[in-house]
Amino acid sequence: MKKYLPSIAMWLVFESDAVILWLALDNLFYLFNFSYIGTAIAVGLAFYTQKKRYARNVVQMAVGLYMLVYLGILCRENMQIEGFWYYLFLGVFEAAVIHYAVAKIFGPLLFGRGWCGYACWTAMVLDLLPYKTPATPRKRWGFVRYVVFAAALLFVSLLFLFRIPGKAEIMWWSFLIGNGIYYAVGIALAFGCKDNRAFCKYVCPITVFLKPMSYFTLFLIKVDPSKCVSCGKCERVCPMNVQVSEPSRKRKHGTECILCMKCVEKCPNKALDL
Ligand code: SF4
Ligand code: SF4
Ligand code: SF4
């Protein structure tokens, strides 16, 4: 039963959000939305626990496609960073604001970068590319994320400052075009850097929220120093270059862990656990 605890905890978190938001905002959509996402993630984690090989990819597709196609394209909700600023400036506590609060700002205090490992619609495509483990050294391009973050904030600020009409329509097109650019840049970087997750490491503006919050995460990969023989296998397999065998939150690139569990699978001495 213990091995299913992360799965149950994840489901409870999402289900609590579903019920609270449904009752607080008197909107049945939130019950459906968060129940669906929480159940997909919990079932995927349970399958993963049973060592089903593609469990994580299936969850990514189930949640990612729902958010990209249904919420983003069909319901016209911009869930990108500019959508977050847009709804925040409107003073509307719904849509992207709730999504960011749950998945990307406060949620990471509990489940770290779980969003990045199991739900992101950008990464659901990037993770299918050939470079699952980085084949080149990490670059010092992390500053790019702050440039993209500031550009999104500036873009939405100008829309409000100059009272540009048709903001809702602009946000929808921004979601479509922005996602197209993200996929193009993400795929180009993956092949250029021989690293599927290069986009996540250098460009994604959401990491400006994700990284500091996930430093304090409750669920993180723990190492038992008495079992570790410093073989380095965990770090060689990590897609995010995390210094896994360092038994502290201050481990290098620790806030990049996406909880993919590849290091846990690879450790020959079972020194790693969640
Ligand atoms: S870093 Fe950004 S693009 Fe990568 S998985 Fe996380 S949210 Fe998605
Ligand atoms: S794979 Fe296991 S034993 Fe090897 S360095 Fe990592 S934690 Fe230590
Ligand atoms: S391999 Fe381990 S440390 Fe690296 S991202 Fe996956 S779970 Fe996190």
Side-chain angles (χ1 to χ4, degrees):
M1 190 66 186
K2 185 178 171 254
K3 64 183 181 177
Y4 291 113
L5 271 182
S7 176
I8 295 168
M10 196 64 84
W11 186 81
L12 284 174
V13 168
F14 276 89
E15 205 52 33
S16 309
D17 287 337
V19 173
I20 290 169
L21 289 167
W22 164 42
L23 296 177
L25 301 174
D26 192 22
N27 189 340
L28 202 59
F29 165 76
Y30 291 108
L31 184 65
F32 160 74
N33 182 63
F34 286 103
S35 295
Y36 172 77
I37 295 174
T39 304
I41 292 175
V43 170
L45 281 176
F47 277 137
Y48 168 77
T49 309
Q50 293 171 355
K51 303 202 185 310
K52 304 283 185 210
R53 199 170 161 207
Y54 293 107
R56 195 173 66 83
N57 299 83
V58 171
V59 179
Q60 278 180 312
M61 291 288 171
V63 180
L65 284 175
Y66 163 70
M67 300 203 68
L68 176 70
V69 178
Y70 177 68
L71 292 185
I73 297 174
L74 297 178
C75 296
R76 292 181 162 232
E77 300 231 344
N78 188 325
M79 298 278 175
Q80 298 280 88
I81 188 89
E82 69 274 12
F84 168 71
W85 295 124
Y86 170 67
Y87 287 107
L88 203 65
F89 287 4
L90 282 180
V92 178
F93 184 69
E94 57 185 48
V97 177
I98 292 180
H99 166 63
Y100 271 72
V102 173
K104 294 162 178 173
I105 299 178
F106 300 113
L109 294 171
L110 179 68
F111 47 76
R113 298 270 298 266
W115 164 265
C116 298
Y118 295 83
C120 174
W121 60 84
T122 309
M124 85 184 169
V125 172
L126 299 179
D127 277 356
L128 300 176
L129 300 177
Y131 305 105
K132 298 186 185 347
T133 300
T136 55
R138 203 175 160 108
K139 316 273 187 287
R140 301 172 77 91
W141 297 345
F143 68 90
V144 177
R145 71 170 66 98
Y146 299 103
V147 176
V148 181
F149 184 90
L153 179 55
L154 183 68
F155 168 58
V156 180
S157 302
L158 291 176
L159 289 182
F160 279 86
L161 206 62
F162 291 104
R163 300 172 189 270
I164 305 286
K167 288 192 239 346
E169 190 70 11
I170 292 173
M171 278 297 119
W172 188 64
W173 281 106
S174 166
F175 181 78
L176 296 181
I177 295 168
N179 270 294
I181 294 173
Y182 276 16
Y183 282 126
V185 172
I187 292 169
L189 274 176
F191 281 96
C193 299
K194 298 190 188 317
D195 178 358
N196 284 358
R197 289 283 183 153
F199 180 86
C200 302
K201 292 171 191 171
Y202 313 129
V203 180
C204 178
I206 300 164
T207 55
V208 173
F209 293 133
L210 287 168
K211 280 171 72 69
M213 299 308 270
S214 63
Y215 179 83
F216 302 99
T217 179
L218 190 65
F219 288 119
L220 82 164
I221 303 294
K222 298 177 193 74
V223 57
D224 181 345
S226 67
K227 291 183 183 169
C228 177
V229 292
S230 304
C231 66
K233 286 184 178 170
C234 51
E235 289 168 24
R236 283 197 289 278
V237 83
C238 177
M240 301 302 286
N241 312 106
V242 179
Q243 187 191 14
V244 196
S245 57
E246 161 62 45
S248 143
R249 279 178 195 274
K250 291 183 182 155
R251 58 175 60 138
K252 203 168 175 190
H253 306 307
T255 57
E256 309 242 323
C257 175
I258 57 170
L259 298 178
C260 68
M261 309 298 278
K262 284 187 181 165
C263 53
V264 178
E265 287 167 25
K266 199 74 182 174
C267 178
N269 280 14
K270 301 204 182 314
L272 300 171
D273 204 354
L274 194 58

